[in-house]
Amino acid sequence: MNDLAKLLQAVKFAADKHRNQRRKGTHEVPYINHPLEVCEQLVRVGKVNDLNVLLAAVLHDTVEDTDTKPEEIEAMFGRRVREIVAEVTDDKSLPKAERKEKQVEHAPHLSVEAKQVKLSDKISNIREIGNDPPADWSKKRKLEYLAWGERVINAGLRNSNADLEKLFDETVRTARTKIEAGN
């Protein structure tokens, strides 16, 4: 199977797995838009063309947020894709605050591939908080989310992709300006 066919297989797989999920914003955008944005950003902005990274980007939330097992990822997309997905998957059995702190602790120990996926993921999530936050999030909570995202990036994701890092910094600035202006 060629690279494009493999990537489209991953898109189809992720779309099926996330089919009933929506983003938390007020517009309730279909969840699949998020992993697609993460992948597209890696290619367009980060100039990433490593198929394993792109597959992992599309699949990065399937184990964490659906009934997908890591073995399923490996059987369909290979060991390396499973490993990258595992590196960026939170342990949902832990309390939310602990999961967030683990992201900061683990950031310096991620592979370069996982760092790029995580960086693109944070850009997408912060853009969402700036443009379409959950209706029940206060200004304080939104700003805390941005600060936490910066902690994850600064803890160990810098020097993995300069173009994505630049976009991350711009995205945080834009989101912070919108939040502080009350948007």
Side-chain angles (χ1 to χ4, degrees):
M1 184 179 300
N2 71 33
D3 289 357
L4 182 57
K6 193 68 144 177
L7 186 58
L8 290 171
Q9 179 187 21
V11 168
K12 184 177 181 297
F13 180 86
D16 180 55
K17 291 294 186 170
H18 293 294
R19 71 184 168 277
N20 296 320
Q21 297 174 333
R22 299 283 203 198
R23 293 288 274 174
K24 294 176 183 176
T26 56
H27 294 108
E28 296 183 350
V29 174
Y31 193 85
I32 189 61
N33 292 13
H34 168 64
L36 294 177
E37 178 183 23
V38 170
C39 183
E40 185 272 340
Q41 223 162 229
L42 283 164
V43 173
R44 181 179 47 81
V45 177
K47 315 233 180 342
V48 174
N49 61 11
D50 180 322
L51 181 62
N52 289 329
V53 175
L54 302 179
L55 292 169
V58 170
L59 301 167
H60 80 273
D61 280 335
T62 56
V63 173
E64 185 175 319
D65 293 340
T66 74
D67 62 355
T68 305
K69 302 288 181 237
E71 298 78 21
E72 216 176 336
I73 300 286
E74 184 167 346
M76 293 181 76
F77 304 104
R79 180 184 56 80
R80 186 65 192 128
V81 174
R82 179 197 43 83
E83 290 171 347
I84 297 167
V85 169
E87 286 185 82
V88 298
T89 298
D90 286 349
D91 180 351
K92 287 285 190 118
S93 70
L94 299 174
K96 189 173 189 169
E98 190 174 340
R99 285 195 315 263
K100 289 177 85 169
E101 197 53 40
K102 292 265 187 218
Q103 282 194 33
V104 175
E105 292 171 12
H106 289 145
H109 308 291
L110 299 176
S111 66
V112 171
E113 297 93 342
K115 286 180 180 189
Q116 292 180 100
V117 172
K118 180 66 85 175
L119 185 52
S120 189
D121 180 42
K122 289 288 176 241
I123 294 165
S124 175
N125 288 336
I126 287 173
R127 183 179 295 120
E128 183 87 3
I129 296 303
N131 293 336
D132 186 29
D136 61 342
W137 278 34
S138 67
K139 179 178 179 178
K140 180 179 184 239
R141 183 169 180 190
K142 292 177 217 175
L143 291 171
E144 286 172 350
Y145 186 90
L146 268 57
W148 167 72
E150 288 180 301
R151 281 186 62 220
V152 174
I153 300 307
N154 293 331
L157 301 186
R158 296 276 178 195
N159 302 313
S160 60
N161 188 305
D163 293 326
L164 287 173
E165 291 165 38
K166 181 180 175 189
L167 179 59
F168 174 81
D169 294 336
E170 291 168 4
T171 303
V172 169
R173 276 193 300 277
T174 300
R176 186 170 281 122
T177 299
K178 287 179 179 181
I179 293 166
E180 288 174 348
N183 297 339

